[in-house]
Amino acid sequence: MLVLHEDLMQKRVGDLAVFGALPTFSEPLYVGRPNIGERARLLERFNRILDSRWLTNDGPFVKGFERRIAELVGVKHCVAMCNGTVALEIAIRALGMAGEVIVPSFTFIATAHALQWQGITPVFCDIDLRTHTLDPRRVEQAITPRTTGIIGVHVWGYTCDIEALAEIAARHGLKLLFDAAHAFACSYKGRMIGSFGDAEVLSFHATKFFNTLEGGAVVTNDDELAEKLRLMRNFGFTGYDEVSYIGTNGKMNELSAAMGLTSLESLDEFIAVNRRNYLRYRVELRNVAGAQVLAYDETEKCNYQYVVLELDETFTRVASRDELWRILTAENVMARPGGFWRLAGRLLPETERLTERVLCLPTGATIEESDIKIICQLLKVIIENAGEARRLLDGLGTGIASAP
Ligand SMILES: *Cc1c(COP(=O)(O)O)cnc(C)c1O
């Protein structure tokens, strides 16, 4: 990436692009440009699909893809779907969830919408700041006679307190589903994510580190549930003119499955690049007072797809996350506040506190270690001079309105 400001060590707050200087990078650096595996193999697979004219409806590529995912995750069944949201909706329905379901609001909006879309009330529950996932104690407090299930979300590949949630679900007779959209290829206590609860849902959207263009899957060890999922995914058809459930169309197509099979061949490389970037950020920012890069547990498997900057009080006392975001954006460093919605406002104090302090930094195959060094140098200048940055921003007028 072309760097317009080589002289970063000398850079001062007043030299930032937000105040009129040239941006540090000539082109935007993103959080997750899509990973693409071996192009020639992908196109060869696409050609075979086109030649066969078997484009969808449980074709050989989808079947092969499902087998590979089930093996990798260590479950009996993988039911591939057209995207993660539809996979969530179908899993929720097949599990018979109704009434109220307990979910975190610290998640991507699709987790909650998949419930509300079917007339189920998402009951938002606060998180544990250590895991960034559902706080089991608070989950138990949120249970009412109308509660039928719990959906835990393994945010950024940080896994839920699975044992505690499973114990609560069993004791209250509740269904337990995990939104594992961030956690493909991660493990919990040495066992792969995907095999916990009644089922887990994966997303293979283009912005995830492993993609099938659009796609998702429900993975489970429950034979009966898998059968139901397969029927619901395909209009409820049990035969040519026989229908046993109210179904929908959630099928994955053959081209997506071919993309998935090709991406699987490069999975280790995708993860290695993510890990390299993550470690580079950790090293570069280790001595910055006011922020840290969230650590992953190196004793577990992890996909390292998110590099999460967590601002601490020394920063947030003087300036806000949104101000930092605005400054970085002007430098063409397209950080993202995590895509999290404050669905429940101030009713969830821990969620609120964390949401205001996190920012995802650019990573993925298109980000070089040299880019990261520069991004971190920029972060140092901004974070260590937060007060001055704040004063200069105030002079520019309302900053937050022009954040992306
Ligand atoms: C991406 C994502 C989804 C939705 O997946 P799609 O494949 O984009 O529909 C659901 N939950 C979480 C936490 C996600 O990050």
Side-chain angles (χ1 to χ4, degrees):
M1 196 61 58
L2 179 64
V3 177
L4 300 175
H5 265 279
E6 288 293 355
D7 205 11
L8 268 171
M9 300 308 276
Q10 306 300 316
K11 196 163 187 137
R12 286 192 303 244
V13 172
D15 304 328
L16 293 167
V18 74
F19 305 120
L22 282 177
T24 304
F25 293 98
S26 62
E27 282 173 45
L29 302 185
Y30 293 101
V31 169
R33 305 289 308 276
N35 278 324
I36 296 165
E38 285 284 332
R39 187 182 298 240
R41 302 201 55 143
L42 178 66
L43 295 177
E44 184 264 324
R45 287 181 164 123
F46 279 3
N47 273 326
R48 267 157 56 204
I49 292 166
L50 297 178
D51 289 344
S52 76
R53 297 195 183 246
W54 192 347
L55 305 184
T56 185
N57 287 0
D58 227 6
F61 284 85
V62 163
K63 286 211 174 90
F65 178 67
E66 290 183 334
R67 260 195 312 277
R68 293 279 293 110
I69 295 290
E71 268 167 33
L72 207 146
V73 167
V75 289
K76 279 161 84 178
H77 306 282
C78 168
V79 185
M81 308 257 184
C82 56
N83 61 57
T85 304
V86 165
L88 273 169
E89 288 171 4
I90 294 179
I92 287 164
R93 188 172 280 257
L95 284 168
M97 288 183 177
E100 293 176 2
V101 171
I102 298 167
V103 283
S105 91
F106 193 67
T107 179
F108 180 59
I109 192 89
T111 323
H113 277 180
L115 291 164
Q116 195 89 57
W117 185 253
Q118 318 193 61
I120 301 168
T121 307
V123 173
F124 297 112
C125 179
D126 214 349
I127 52 174
D128 180 338
L129 282 185
R130 281 172 312 126
T131 62
H132 294 192
T133 64
L134 279 179
D135 179 342
R137 233 170 6 98
R138 292 185 167 101
V139 167
E140 187 134 32
Q141 289 161 5
I143 295 172
T144 74
R146 278 172 49 78
T147 308
T148 59
I150 302 167
I151 304 180
V153 183
H154 306 305
V155 174
W156 358 94
Y158 273 32
T159 48
C160 293
D161 186 344
I162 293 174
E163 282 167 357
L165 293 177
E167 190 275 317
I168 292 168
R171 192 149 39 78
H172 292 268
L174 303 175
K175 298 292 182 188
L176 180 60
L177 179 66
F178 289 104
D179 177 341
H182 292 185
F184 176 57
C186 297
S187 70
Y188 171 84
K189 301 198 174 172
R191 188 169 131 195
M192 296 306 282
I193 287 296
S195 60
F196 295 99
D198 291 295
E200 301 206 53
V201 172
L202 302 170
S203 164
F204 309 131
H205 185 258
T207 54
K208 273 40 181 204
F209 86 103
F210 167 85
N211 82 85
T212 61
L213 312 173
E214 288 267 9
V218 185
V219 283
T220 181
N221 280 317
D222 183 331
D223 300 340
E224 212 174 299
L225 179 67
E227 184 55 25
K228 209 163 169 181
L229 291 164
R230 286 186 191 288
L231 292 171
M232 286 185 168
R233 168 181 75 166
N234 189 28
F235 310 101
F237 279 128
T238 45
Y240 269 111
D241 52 5
E242 222 175 295
V243 164
S244 64
Y245 290 108
I246 297 181
T248 184
N249 182 358
K251 297 188 300 291
M252 177 179 276
N253 68 69
E254 290 289 278
L255 293 169
S256 284
M259 180 73 175
L261 285 165
T262 311
S263 298
L264 276 177
E265 290 162 356
S266 300
L267 190 68
D268 292 344
E269 283 158 55
F270 297 161
I271 294 173
V273 167
N274 290 344
R275 180 161 182 275
R276 177 204 71 186
N277 287 355
Y278 156 79
L279 291 174
R280 175 50 54 200
Y281 273 111
R282 290 270 299 171
V283 167
E284 297 294 324
L285 292 176
R286 71 189 178 283
N287 294 324
V288 176
Q292 63 202 9
V293 171
L294 286 180
Y296 291 108
D297 180 352
E298 291 272 345
T299 66
E300 297 284 356
K301 287 209 160 122
C302 181
N303 59 42
Y304 301 94
Q305 71 176 312
Y306 299 104
V307 173
V308 185
L309 185 72
E310 184 173 7
L311 300 162
D312 66 32
E313 276 217 325
T314 25
F315 180 84
T316 55
R317 261 201 308 267
V318 263
S320 70
R321 189 273 318 267
D322 285 348
E323 285 165 327
L324 174 60
W325 181 25
R326 181 182 179 200
I327 294 171
L328 290 176
T329 302
E331 302 290 347
N332 269 331
V333 177
M334 311 310 272
R336 298 216 1 221
F340 294 111
W341 271 257
R342 286 187 175 95
L343 300 172
R346 303 208 171 259
L347 294 172
L348 305 178
E350 306 290 13
T351 299
E352 188 70 16
R353 219 182 307 165
L354 187 62
T355 305
E356 286 173 353
R357 286 194 290 122
V358 290
L359 202 56
C360 290
L361 298 173
T363 185
T366 59
I367 306 295
E368 305 286 335
E369 283 188 276
S370 55
D371 297 327
I372 295 173
K373 285 187 184 165
I374 294 164
I375 293 170
C376 291
Q377 187 56 40
L378 250 177
L379 282 168
K380 268 183 220 174
V381 171
I382 303 163
I383 292 171
E384 286 172 357
N385 299 284
E388 194 189 349
R390 174 72 196 266
R391 273 191 303 284
L392 290 171
L393 276 180
D394 282 347
L396 290 180
T398 54
I400 292 156
S402 57

